[in-house]
Amino acid sequence: MSVVAEHISEHVHRDDLGSRMGIWLFLFTELVLFGGMFLVYAVYRFTYQQEFHVAAKELNTLIGTLNTLILLTSSLTMVLAIVAIRKDNKFLSIFFQVITIFLAFGFMVNKYFEWMAKIHHGIYPGSETLLAKGNGEILFFGLYYVMTGLHGLHVLIGMVLIGVMTRFTMKGTVNSDKYIHLEAAGLYWHLVDIIWIFLFPLFYLIT
Amino acid sequence: MNEDHLQHTIEHKPTYGIYILVWLVLLMLTGVTVAVAGINFGNITVATALTIAIVKSYLVLTFFMHLKAETATFKLFVGVALLFLLISIALLFSDYSFL
């Protein structure tokens, strides 16, 4: 063991390209996860076109648009955090990461109020109000809760990840020479953004 | 360490400007997609929204996710994954002729 430990201390192997490929492989699985759901959405939207239109009117386009702007901006601050650390500006990188977390938090706050308003109106999976509606509307809200819910879960995980990266940056684990961790968290965060780019028009803009 | 240093550089000169520009375009496209949603184009309404979403995703993938700076092999690697998603979509649409 000690020989191995000595070897490691002498030569730390790094393969950043391999690390990036690993993250992308993980992102592909996410693509399949959400891709499958979008396929289900496509079939049901086609089958219940009119009911999907009626159901989508219940959604708040303003909150949806606001959340789109928040998420796009958080993607920008995330990528700027990487530029900053590469320019060896530790303070600015931490600043951008914290802003990203705040924006993600803002997204979740909006999501909370949006969901709460729906639940307050009696629209949630299995509720009497919802079950009294047609099949198409039940399916629309089912997909709405599952897809935006799973997306929201990704936002929460992203917040934790970026929080860990902020700590790494403070400690110097992430620095101008070695920022692959931050890059990986960034790639994950941008994927979450891309999923929202599709969720937004498909749920909020079909009235 | 030397050989590793060669391959972990994503791009040569990191700059803030390009990302801010991409962000502005993304905001603009969001504005367009919201504005257009109010107009009924009939069958191409969904197509319009999806086209804008695809353009936005392309920008995020290329710039924010640094695919622009990756090697051709890497781009192929991502392309194959997208191709398989496309095949699933095409197969589904051949089953459900959305007309």
Side-chain angles (χ1 to χ4, degrees):
Chain A
M1 277 302 283
S2 65
V3 178
V4 175
E6 266 172 43
H7 181 75
I8 288 169
S9 64
E10 276 168 20
H11 177 89
V12 181
H13 175 71
R14 267 180 65 182
D15 182 2
D16 289 358
L17 178 68
S19 301
R20 287 207 299 281
M21 284 192 126
I23 288 296
W24 275 96
L25 271 176
F26 169 68
L27 297 187
F28 297 161
T29 70
E30 293 276 14
L31 198 68
V32 175
L33 174 67
F34 280 95
M37 289 184 173
F38 278 113
L39 289 181
V40 174
Y41 172 92
V43 170
Y44 285 132
R45 177 162 176 184
F46 177 70
T47 317
Y48 300 99
Q49 251 169 15
Q50 210 49 50
E51 285 181 292
F52 264 51
H53 278 266
V54 173
K57 286 197 175 101
E58 294 275 343
L59 297 191
N60 191 329
T61 312
L62 188 69
I63 291 191
T65 311
L66 188 65
N67 265 351
T68 305
L69 299 181
I70 289 175
L71 221 51
L72 286 174
T73 310
S74 77
S75 254
L76 172 73
T77 53
M78 189 66 207
V79 82
L80 292 184
I82 296 169
V83 177
I85 199 68
R86 292 186 63 199
K87 283 179 181 282
D88 213 3
N89 195 335
K90 191 172 162 179
F91 174 80
L92 198 60
S93 181
I94 291 168
F95 172 76
F96 279 133
Q97 288 173 52
V98 171
I99 296 285
T100 310
I101 296 169
F102 266 104
L103 288 169
F105 182 72
F107 179 92
M108 290 313 288
V109 168
N110 280 341
K111 197 95 256 170
Y112 169 81
F113 283 117
E114 192 192 329
W115 275 33
M116 276 310 168
K118 293 277 160 311
I119 292 167
H120 189 71
H121 286 120
I123 300 170
Y124 53 88
S127 76
E128 280 178 30
T129 320
L130 189 58
L131 291 178
K133 292 176 190 283
N135 277 343
E137 289 189 55
I138 297 173
L139 284 165
F140 176 86
F141 283 107
L143 283 166
Y144 163 77
Y145 275 109
V146 171
M147 291 177 84
T148 64
L150 192 64
H151 178 266
L153 183 67
H154 279 76
V155 173
L156 284 177
I157 295 167
M159 281 170 76
V160 174
L161 270 178
I162 300 163
V164 173
M165 291 314 132
T166 311
R167 178 95 185 104
F168 277 179
T169 315
M170 282 172 179
K171 286 202 306 189
T173 313
V174 166
N175 54 55
S176 63
D177 173 59
K178 186 167 165 279
Y179 51 87
I180 182 68
H181 298 83
L182 188 63
E183 173 78 19
L187 286 172
Y188 178 81
W189 191 247
H190 299 311
L191 182 90
V192 172
D193 191 19
I194 288 180
I195 292 162
W196 183 259
I197 285 174
F198 284 93
L199 284 178
F200 172 60
L202 290 177
F203 280 98
Y204 296 82
L205 297 179
I206 61 169
T207 46
Chain B
M1 285 293 277
N2 287 337
E3 80 276 21
D4 295 328
H5 273 265
L6 291 172
Q7 55 175 220
H8 78 81
T9 316
I10 292 170
E11 63 209 63
H12 298 294
K13 282 181 200 157
T15 47
Y16 297 106
I18 180 75
Y19 298 117
I20 293 168
L21 192 69
V22 169
W23 172 69
L24 286 173
V25 175
L26 286 170
L27 292 190
M28 202 190 73
L29 286 171
T30 306
V32 171
T33 199
V34 172
V36 162
I39 311 162
N40 191 5
F41 291 122
N43 285 333
I44 63 158
T45 312
V46 187
T48 315
L50 284 180
T51 308
I52 295 171
I54 289 166
V55 172
K56 284 167 83 179
S57 304
Y58 175 81
L59 289 173
V60 173
L61 283 163
T62 312
F63 295 97
F64 287 178
M65 296 173 91
H66 306 301
L67 274 186
K68 195 178 194 297
E70 298 286 5
T71 59
T73 319
F74 205 105
K75 285 173 190 160
L76 181 70
F77 170 63
V78 177
V80 167
L82 291 175
L83 181 71
F84 273 87
L85 186 68
L86 217 71
I87 290 171
S88 341
I89 294 170
L91 284 178
L92 177 95
F93 280 26
S94 73
D95 218 10
Y96 282 81
S97 53
F98 291 168
L99 294 168

